[in-house]
Amino acid sequence: MGGVFKMIKAVIFDLDGTLLNRDASVQKFIEKQYERLHDCLGHIPKEYYISRFIELDCRGYVWKDKVYQQMVNEFKISEISWERLLQDYITEFHNSCIPFFNLISTLESLKDNSILLGMITNGKGQFQMDNIKALGIENYFDTILVSEWEGMKKPNPEIFQKALRQVDVSPNESMYVGDHPENDIQGAKNIGMLGVWKKDLQWDNVEADFIVEDLKEIPLIIQAINRA
C-alpha cells in the first residue's frame, strides 16, 4: 500500500463491471432486442445476432453507433436503420440491468457504518443515470460523476479529485472499487487512493491494494483497516 492510510471515510465505485453486471445485462438486452424487433431481424439466426453484438461491443468500450452500423452492413439489415437500433438500445437497455450479488446489502452496510459513497463512471450521462436508477441505488450515493457530463473521464486524476472534493474526504481516507486495471485501479492509486480491484476474468496480475470477488468483502476490508 502506497502512502499512510488513515481511517477510511469514503468509498468511490465504478459502475459497469463493478456494481452492474454488464456482461449479463448485455446478454439479456440483446436477446430481448432480437425478439422485440424480430420482424426486422428474423432473417438472421438469433445466436449470430447476439454473439456478433457482444463481440463488436467490446464490453462497452465501443459506442453503439459503430456497433449497429457494422451489424446493419454485415447482416444486410434493410427493414430497420442503425439509428433506430441505436435508439432502441438507448431507451430499452435499463430494463435489462442485472446487479452483482450483494449490491444493496453492501451499500446498506457501508451506510450503516457512516461511510460516504461516490460513483465515477465513464459513459453517456443520461444513459448511465437510467441504469443506476434501474438498479435502485441512486439514493445511496453522496456524489455520482458521469464522464460525458463532467467533460473528462477516468483515468484522468481530475475526475477522482472532484469526487473526493464533493464528499470532502482526502485521498488517504478513501478507496476506489473498480474492475478496470488502468481506468479504475491505476487512476485511483495515482492520486493516493486505495485501489480495490473487483476481479474480472479478462485480466490477471492486476496490481491493486486489495482484490475482491464479491462486493460483500468491501465492508470487511474497511473494518480491518479502520481497526488497525
Side-chain angles (χ1 to χ4, degrees), residues 9-23:
K9 295 180 183 173
V11 181
I12 315 289
F13 288 94
D14 166 51
L15 176 63
D16 294 309
T18 302
L19 305 178
L20 172 72
N21 184 338
R22 191 176 180 282
D23 291 347

Side-chain angles (χ1 to χ4, degrees), residues 113-127:
N113 287 290
S114 304
I115 301 292
L116 294 160
L117 300 179
M119 192 191 306
I120 307 172
T121 173
N122 287 352
K124 303 282 186 184
Q126 193 57 53
F127 182 81

Side-chain angles (χ1 to χ4, degrees), residues 172-190:
N172 65 356
E173 298 170 316
S174 64
M175 65 167 52
Y176 190 89
V177 183
D179 67 308
H180 195 286
E182 287 167 29
N183 294 346
D184 294 326
I185 306 310
Q186 202 50 53
K189 285 166 69 77
N190 285 346

Side-chain angles (χ1 to χ4, degrees), residues 75-167:
F75 290 129
K76 300 184 172 40
I77 299 168
S78 56
E79 300 286 311
I80 189 169
S81 66
W82 69 262
E83 290 93 341
R84 288 235 353 249
L85 288 165
L86 174 63
Q87 194 54 46
D88 182 79
Y89 174 83
I90 291 166
T91 53
E92 294 290 337
F93 186 86
H94 67 95
N95 293 319
S96 297
C97 285
I98 297 171
F100 277 110
F101 293 124
N102 301 310
L103 170 56
I104 299 291
S105 59
T106 296
L107 298 179
E108 293 270 3
S109 172
L110 293 169
K111 278 292 188 198
D112 288 346
N113 287 290
S114 304
I115 301 292
L116 294 160
L117 300 179
M119 192 191 306
I120 307 172
T121 173
N122 287 352
K124 303 282 186 184
Q126 193 57 53
F127 182 81
Q128 294 296 66
M129 282 309 300
D130 289 344
N131 295 343
I132 292 163
K133 287 174 181 170
L135 292 174
I137 59 175
E138 182 190 11
N139 294 330
Y140 288 97
F141 288 87
D142 302 287
T143 182
I144 297 174
L145 303 182
V146 187
S147 65
E148 182 189 35
W149 287 345
E150 299 304 322
M152 55 184 164
K153 62 183 182 178
K154 301 177 292 183
N156 185 335
E158 285 179 38
I159 201 164
F160 293 95
Q161 287 157 347
K162 181 170 182 178
L164 292 180
R165 279 199 306 275
Q166 294 196 339
V167 293

Side-chain angles (χ1 to χ4, degrees), residues 196-223:
V196 180
W197 184 48
K198 171 93 170 36
K199 202 167 184 179
D200 185 303
L201 296 174
Q202 192 180 359
W203 290 286
D204 48 21
N205 300 325
V206 174
E207 284 190 29
D209 296 301
F210 296 95
I211 296 172
V212 299
E213 294 200 11
D214 191 302
L215 292 168
K216 69 182 178 186
E217 297 169 64
I218 304 292
L220 304 174
I221 291 171
I222 292 171
Q223 282 169 15

Side-chain angles (χ1 to χ4, degrees), residues 34-49:
Y34 182 87
E35 286 154 16
R36 200 167 43 245
L37 303 174
H38 188 264
D39 289 354
C40 308
L41 304 172
H43 66 286
I44 310 156
K46 184 178 179 180
E47 54 279 10
Y48 286 171
Y49 186 80

